[in-house]
Amino acid sequence: MGVTLRDVTRRYPGITALDSVDLVIDDGVSVALTGPSGAGKSTVLHLIGGMDRPDSGTVEIDGQELTSARLDAHRRRIGFVFQRFHLLPALTALDNVLVPVLPRRVDFDRRARAMELLDAVGLAQRARALPSELSGGQQQRVAVARALINRPGLLLADEPTGNLDSTTGREIIDLLLSLSEQYGTTMLIATHDSEVAANCDRIVRLQDGRITSDEKVAPAADVLDRLGGLRP
Ligand SMILES: Nc1ncnc2c1ncn2[C@@H]1O[C@H](COP(=O)(O)OP(=O)(O)OP(=O)(O)O)[C@@H](O)[C@H]1O
Ligand SMILES: [Mg+2]
Protein backbone atom coordinates (compact mmCIF):
# COMPACT_ATOMS: atom_id res chain seq x y z
CA MET A 1 0.00 0.00 0.00
CA GLY A 2 1.17 3.54 -0.73
CA VAL A 3 0.76 6.23 1.91
CA THR A 4 0.61 10.01 1.51
CA LEU A 5 0.38 12.62 4.26
CA ARG A 6 -0.52 16.06 2.96
CA ASP A 7 0.01 19.05 5.21
CA VAL A 8 -0.93 17.03 8.29
CA THR A 9 -1.19 18.82 11.64
CA ARG A 10 -2.09 17.19 14.95
CA ARG A 11 -2.41 19.35 18.05
CA TYR A 12 -2.87 18.61 21.71
CA PRO A 13 -3.55 21.31 24.28
CA GLY A 14 -0.37 23.38 24.29
CA ILE A 15 1.52 20.97 21.98
CA THR A 16 1.74 20.67 18.22
CA ALA A 17 2.57 16.97 17.90
CA LEU A 18 2.77 17.22 14.09
CA ASP A 19 3.20 20.47 12.24
CA SER A 20 2.24 20.55 8.52
CA VAL A 21 3.88 17.24 7.68
CA ASP A 22 4.12 16.10 4.05
CA LEU A 23 5.27 12.54 3.45
CA VAL A 24 4.94 10.16 0.50
CA ILE A 25 5.72 6.47 1.00
CA ASP A 26 5.75 4.20 -2.04
CA ASP A 27 4.17 0.78 -2.07
CA GLY A 28 6.45 -1.99 -0.79
CA VAL A 29 9.09 0.27 0.77
CA SER A 30 10.42 0.01 4.34
CA VAL A 31 10.77 3.31 6.19
CA ALA A 32 12.37 3.97 9.57
CA LEU A 33 10.91 6.86 11.57
CA THR A 34 13.52 8.25 13.93
CA GLY A 35 13.89 11.28 16.16
CA PRO A 36 13.93 12.12 19.88
CA SER A 37 11.23 11.21 22.35
CA GLY A 38 8.15 13.36 21.74
CA ALA A 39 9.11 14.10 18.11
CA GLY A 40 5.82 12.74 16.78
CA LYS A 41 6.74 9.23 15.57
CA SER A 42 3.89 7.38 17.26
CA THR A 43 1.49 10.13 16.21
CA VAL A 44 2.44 9.51 12.56
CA LEU A 45 1.86 5.76 12.96
CA HIS A 46 -1.50 6.27 14.68
CA LEU A 47 -2.70 8.64 11.96
CA ILE A 48 -1.63 6.28 9.17
CA GLY A 49 -3.17 3.34 11.03
CA GLY A 50 -6.49 5.13 11.37
CA MET A 51 -6.29 5.10 15.18
CA ASP A 52 -6.12 8.88 15.35
CA ARG A 53 -7.33 11.71 13.11
CA PRO A 54 -5.47 14.82 11.97
CA ASP A 55 -6.71 18.28 12.98
CA SER A 56 -5.99 19.41 9.45
CA GLY A 57 -4.52 17.94 6.30
CA THR A 58 -5.19 14.53 4.80
CA VAL A 59 -3.94 10.95 5.01
CA GLU A 60 -4.25 9.03 1.74
CA ILE A 61 -3.92 5.29 1.33
CA ASP A 62 -3.33 4.13 -2.23
CA GLY A 63 -4.47 7.55 -3.40
CA GLN A 64 -7.75 7.45 -1.46
CA GLU A 65 -8.35 9.84 1.38
CA LEU A 66 -8.79 8.08 4.70
CA THR A 67 -12.18 9.37 5.82
CA SER A 68 -14.03 8.43 9.01
CA ALA A 69 -16.29 6.13 7.00
CA ARG A 70 -13.29 4.12 5.80
CA LEU A 71 -11.46 3.76 9.13
CA ASP A 72 -12.80 0.34 10.17
CA ALA A 73 -12.12 -1.27 6.81
CA HIS A 74 -8.69 0.36 6.74
CA ARG A 75 -7.70 -0.93 10.20
CA ARG A 76 -8.52 -4.47 9.11
CA ARG A 77 -6.13 -4.18 6.18
CA ILE A 78 -3.05 -3.25 8.18
CA GLY A 79 -0.84 -4.97 10.74
CA PHE A 80 0.54 -3.50 13.98
CA VAL A 81 3.49 -4.48 16.12
CA PHE A 82 3.93 -2.66 19.43
CA GLN A 83 6.76 -2.20 21.89
CA ARG A 84 4.82 -4.14 24.52
CA PHE A 85 3.76 -7.27 22.79
CA HIS A 86 0.07 -7.05 23.80
CA LEU A 87 -0.56 -10.78 23.63
CA LEU A 88 -3.62 -12.18 25.39
CA PRO A 89 -2.22 -14.11 28.38
CA ALA A 90 -4.88 -16.84 28.46
CA LEU A 91 -4.49 -17.78 24.80
CA THR A 92 -1.87 -20.02 23.21
CA ALA A 93 0.60 -18.62 20.66
CA LEU A 94 -1.53 -20.09 17.88
CA ASP A 95 -4.75 -18.54 19.17
CA ASN A 96 -3.06 -15.17 19.67
CA VAL A 97 -2.06 -15.20 16.00
CA LEU A 98 -5.67 -16.05 15.10
CA VAL A 99 -7.28 -13.27 17.17
CA PRO A 100 -7.49 -10.61 14.41
CA VAL A 101 -9.32 -12.95 12.02
CA LEU A 102 -11.54 -14.83 14.49
CA PRO A 103 -14.61 -12.61 14.17
CA ARG A 104 -14.30 -12.29 10.40
CA ARG A 105 -15.05 -14.17 7.28
CA VAL A 106 -11.83 -14.73 5.36
CA ASP A 107 -11.04 -16.44 2.08
CA PHE A 108 -8.20 -18.57 3.45
CA ASP A 109 -7.77 -21.37 5.98
CA ARG A 110 -7.11 -19.44 9.20
CA ARG A 111 -5.42 -22.18 11.18
CA ALA A 112 -3.25 -23.27 8.27
CA ARG A 113 -2.11 -19.71 7.71
CA ALA A 114 -1.50 -19.12 11.43
CA MET A 115 0.65 -22.25 11.59
CA GLU A 116 2.49 -21.18 8.44
CA LEU A 117 3.29 -17.83 10.03
CA LEU A 118 4.37 -19.40 13.33
CA ASP A 119 6.66 -21.57 11.26
CA ALA A 120 7.98 -18.50 9.40
CA VAL A 121 8.86 -16.84 12.74
CA GLY A 122 10.49 -20.05 13.98
CA LEU A 123 7.85 -21.01 16.54
CA ALA A 124 5.99 -23.91 14.94
CA GLN A 125 7.06 -26.12 17.85
CA ARG A 126 5.65 -23.67 20.43
CA ALA A 127 2.18 -23.16 18.93
CA ARG A 128 0.49 -24.46 22.11
CA ALA A 129 2.60 -22.41 24.53
CA LEU A 130 1.09 -19.58 26.55
CA PRO A 131 2.77 -16.15 26.38
CA SER A 132 4.03 -16.61 29.98
CA GLU A 133 5.90 -19.70 28.79
CA LEU A 134 7.72 -17.77 26.04
CA SER A 135 10.72 -15.43 26.15
CA GLY A 136 10.31 -11.74 25.25
CA GLY A 137 11.77 -12.29 21.80
CA GLN A 138 9.49 -15.27 21.22
CA GLN A 139 6.47 -13.24 22.34
CA GLN A 140 7.39 -10.52 19.86
CA ARG A 141 7.69 -13.20 17.15
CA VAL A 142 4.12 -14.24 17.94
CA ALA A 143 3.10 -10.58 17.67
CA VAL A 144 4.80 -10.35 14.26
CA ALA A 145 2.92 -13.45 13.07
CA ARG A 146 -0.33 -11.97 14.41
CA ALA A 147 0.32 -8.69 12.55
CA LEU A 148 0.64 -10.61 9.28
CA ILE A 149 -2.38 -12.95 9.61
CA ASN A 150 -4.69 -10.70 7.60
CA ARG A 151 -2.17 -10.30 4.76
CA PRO A 152 -1.72 -6.59 5.37
CA GLY A 153 -0.51 -4.28 2.63
CA LEU A 154 0.94 -2.08 5.35
CA LEU A 155 2.75 -3.00 8.55
CA LEU A 156 3.21 -0.41 11.30
CA ALA A 157 5.71 -1.13 14.06
CA ASP A 158 6.16 1.21 17.03
CA GLU A 159 9.55 0.54 18.64
CA PRO A 160 9.17 -3.22 18.15
CA THR A 161 12.62 -3.86 19.66
CA GLY A 162 12.27 -1.45 22.59
CA ASN A 163 11.75 -4.22 25.15
CA LEU A 164 14.34 -6.64 23.77
CA ASP A 165 18.10 -7.03 24.09
CA SER A 166 20.00 -5.89 21.02
CA THR A 167 20.63 -9.35 19.55
CA THR A 168 17.00 -10.40 19.90
CA GLY A 169 15.89 -7.01 18.61
CA ARG A 170 18.07 -7.49 15.58
CA GLU A 171 16.46 -10.87 14.90
CA ILE A 172 12.98 -9.36 15.12
CA ILE A 173 13.90 -6.60 12.67
CA ASP A 174 15.46 -9.06 10.23
CA LEU A 175 12.29 -11.08 10.49
CA LEU A 176 10.02 -8.07 9.93
CA LEU A 177 12.05 -6.90 6.95
CA SER A 178 12.33 -10.30 5.30
CA LEU A 179 8.65 -11.14 5.77
CA SER A 180 7.50 -7.74 4.54
CA GLU A 181 9.77 -8.08 1.52
CA GLN A 182 8.47 -11.58 0.86
CA TYR A 183 4.85 -10.39 1.01
CA GLY A 184 5.48 -7.01 -0.66
CA THR A 185 4.28 -5.21 2.47
CA THR A 186 4.94 -1.51 2.97
CA MET A 187 6.55 -1.07 6.38
CA LEU A 188 6.93 1.83 8.77
CA ILE A 189 9.06 1.31 11.89
CA ALA A 190 9.40 3.92 14.63
CA THR A 191 12.75 3.29 16.28
CA HIS A 192 15.49 4.86 18.38
CA ASP A 193 17.97 2.29 17.12
CA SER A 194 20.20 3.59 14.32
CA GLU A 195 21.21 0.08 13.33
CA VAL A 196 17.55 -0.84 12.88
CA ALA A 197 17.02 2.30 10.80
CA ALA A 198 20.05 1.53 8.60
CA ASN A 199 18.41 -1.73 7.55
CA CYS A 200 15.34 -0.01 6.09
CA ASP A 201 15.10 1.44 2.56
CA ARG A 202 14.62 4.96 3.83
CA ILE A 203 15.10 6.95 7.04
CA VAL A 204 12.76 9.82 7.93
CA ARG A 205 13.79 11.89 10.92
CA LEU A 206 11.29 13.91 12.93
CA GLN A 207 11.91 16.63 15.45
CA ASP A 208 9.27 18.75 17.20
CA GLY A 209 6.59 17.51 14.85
CA ARG A 210 8.46 18.30 11.63
CA ILE A 211 10.49 16.23 9.21
CA THR A 212 14.09 17.35 9.53
CA SER A 213 15.70 14.83 7.19
CA ASP A 214 14.64 12.19 4.71
CA GLU A 215 17.25 9.92 3.15
CA LYS A 216 17.42 6.79 1.07
CA VAL A 217 19.65 4.13 2.56
CA ALA A 218 22.35 2.94 0.17
CA PRO A 219 22.21 -0.81 -0.32
CA ALA A 220 24.94 -2.63 1.56
CA ALA A 221 27.97 -3.77 -0.41
CA ASP A 222 26.97 -7.43 -0.22
CA VAL A 223 23.58 -6.63 -1.74
CA LEU A 224 25.28 -4.85 -4.64
CA ASP A 225 27.50 -7.89 -5.13
CA ARG A 226 24.47 -10.14 -5.28
CA LEU A 227 22.94 -7.86 -7.91
CA GLY A 228 25.84 -8.74 -10.15
CA GLY A 229 29.02 -6.76 -9.92
CA LEU A 230 27.55 -3.28 -10.05
CA ARG A 231 30.45 -2.03 -7.98
CA PRO A 232 33.40 -0.51 -9.81
N1 LIG B 1 -2.98 11.81 23.95
C1 LIG B 1 -2.12 12.83 24.07
N2 LIG B 1 -2.44 13.94 24.79
C2 LIG B 1 -1.59 14.98 24.88
N3 LIG B 1 -0.39 15.03 24.28
C3 LIG B 1 -0.02 13.97 23.55
C4 LIG B 1 -0.85 12.81 23.40
N4 LIG B 1 -0.21 11.93 22.62
C5 LIG B 1 0.97 12.49 22.30
N5 LIG B 1 1.09 13.72 22.85
C6 LIG B 1 2.23 14.64 22.70
O1 LIG B 1 2.53 14.75 21.31
C7 LIG B 1 3.94 14.78 21.11
C8 LIG B 1 4.34 13.68 20.16
O2 LIG B 1 4.13 12.43 20.80
P1 LIG B 1 4.52 11.03 20.15
O3 LIG B 1 3.97 9.99 21.04
O4 LIG B 1 4.11 11.02 18.73
O5 LIG B 1 6.12 11.06 20.22
P2 LIG B 1 7.18 9.93 19.86
O6 LIG B 1 8.10 10.51 18.83
O7 LIG B 1 6.48 8.68 19.52
O8 LIG B 1 8.00 9.78 21.22
P3 LIG B 1 8.63 8.45 21.91
O9 LIG B 1 9.94 8.24 21.21
O10 LIG B 1 8.84 8.87 23.33
O11 LIG B 1 7.68 7.33 21.75
C9 LIG B 1 4.57 14.68 22.50
O12 LIG B 1 4.91 15.97 22.94
C10 LIG B 1 3.48 14.08 23.34
O13 LIG B 1 3.59 14.50 24.69
MG1 LIG C 1 6.36 6.81 20.42
Side-chain angles (χ1 to χ4, degrees):
M1 278 154 74
V3 178
T4 303
L5 303 192
R6 278 186 219 280
D7 200 12
V8 166
T9 295
R10 180 70 173 102
R11 291 187 197 88
Y12 293 106
I15 298 163
T16 304
L18 289 180
D19 189 1
S20 307
V21 167
D22 289 297
L23 179 65
V24 178
I25 298 168
D26 292 333
D27 187 24
V29 168
S30 59
V31 178
L33 271 180
T34 66
S37 179
K41 304 180 294 295
S42 297
T43 306
V44 168
L45 293 183
H46 294 156
L47 290 169
I48 293 174
M51 298 140 88
D52 188 16
R53 305 290 293 145
D55 291 300
S56 63
T58 57
V59 177
E60 287 170 24
I61 306 295
D62 284 340
Q64 266 205 332
E65 188 177 339
L66 193 57
T67 56
S68 318
R70 294 205 181 100
L71 287 183
D72 280 342
H74 173 62
R75 287 193 209 106
R76 285 197 292 270
R77 289 170 60 213
I78 56 185
F80 284 100
V81 179
F82 303 94
Q83 178 171 356
R84 293 184 194 89
F85 322 125
H86 290 306
L87 298 179
L88 295 170
L91 298 186
T92 63
L94 180 66
D95 286 339
N96 265 288
V97 175
L98 282 165
V99 161
V101 287
L102 278 183
R104 294 166 46 202
R105 209 167 353 149
V106 289
D107 59 1
F108 53 86
D109 180 337
R110 294 168 230 257
R111 290 184 76 82
R113 179 161 170 78
M115 273 313 294
E116 206 178 283
L117 282 164
L118 279 176
D119 191 33
V121 301
L123 285 176
Q125 308 301 320
R126 307 301 309 275
R128 310 242 150 257
L130 294 171
S132 60
E133 297 165 339
L134 298 172
S135 71
Q138 289 171 335
Q139 290 182 55
Q140 192 65 308
R141 285 165 186 273
V142 174
V144 168
R146 177 184 59 188
L148 292 167
I149 187 78
N150 58 353
R151 307 186 174 198
L154 174 64
L155 190 65
L156 304 171
D158 200 346
E159 297 185 41
T161 63
N163 275 335
L164 303 172
D165 67 76
S166 58
T167 310
T168 310
R170 203 42 223 274
E171 285 168 14
I172 291 291
I173 292 299
D174 286 348
L175 192 60
L176 277 170
L177 289 170
S178 75
L179 290 174
S180 62
E181 195 173 312
Q182 191 181 327
Y183 299 129
T185 314
T186 309
M187 191 157 84
L188 230 79
I189 310 180
T191 183
H192 288 283
D193 185 332
S194 55
E195 206 185 317
V196 167
N199 279 287
C200 295
D201 297 324
R202 181 176 162 195
I203 303 176
V204 173
R205 187 178 164 79
L206 282 166
Q207 188 150 11
D208 297 330
R210 289 171 179 264
I211 292 175
T212 54
S213 78
D214 186 343
E215 49 179 308
K216 271 211 173 85
V217 177
D222 62 320
V223 175
L224 290 179
D225 282 344
R226 264 187 274 132
L227 288 173
L230 291 174
R231 282 197 296 168

